[in-house]
Amino acid sequence: MEKIRFQLADGTVEEFFIEEQTRIGGVSYLLVSDSMEDEASAYILKDVSKDTDPEACYEMLEDEDELQAVYKVFEQMLEDVDFEM
């Protein structure tokens, strides 16, 4: 499974496992988990990079309405997987 390194606001770096990815309205989203164990926490990351950026830049998705909408898309994509957000 592919991993992504993510720098938190306090400067620490975390590694997440990429579970799934999708593109909605021209915006890329990643569904990631912090572990491959059954009790892993899941997060949705949003690509906020510009076309001129040399690499993708992701932020934790925090807008509640957008989070719920994207979560529903991932939920449909992974019907057989039980994620808790």
Side-chain angles (χ1 to χ4, degrees):
M1 185 172 293
E2 189 177 348
K3 285 185 179 180
I4 185 172
R5 292 175 55 113
F6 185 80
Q7 185 171 345
L8 301 174
D10 65 3
T12 59
V13 175
E14 298 256 345
E15 284 192 346
F16 294 108
F17 296 94
I18 299 174
E19 302 290 342
E20 191 60 75
Q21 56 188 356
T22 192
R23 191 165 181 86
I24 302 169
V27 179
S28 294
Y29 297 91
L30 297 177
L31 175 65
V32 299
S33 64
D34 61 0
S35 171
M36 292 183 67
E37 303 297 322
D38 288 339
E39 297 297 319
S41 295
Y43 306 94
I44 296 176
L45 305 180
K46 179 180 181 177
D47 185 350
V48 295
S49 56
K50 297 180 180 25
D51 292 336
T52 56
D53 292 342
E55 58 185 42
C57 180
Y58 289 90
E59 289 183 354
M60 291 275 186
L61 189 54
E62 295 181 1
D63 177 87
E64 193 62 35
D65 293 333
E66 186 178 11
L67 181 65
Q68 289 303 315
V70 175
Y71 174 74
K72 286 181 184 182
V73 171
F74 281 126
E75 189 174 46
Q76 290 175 352
M77 293 172 73
L78 300 166
E79 289 179 345
D80 61 335
V81 179
D82 185 27
F83 280 109
E84 289 189 30
M85 298 295 290

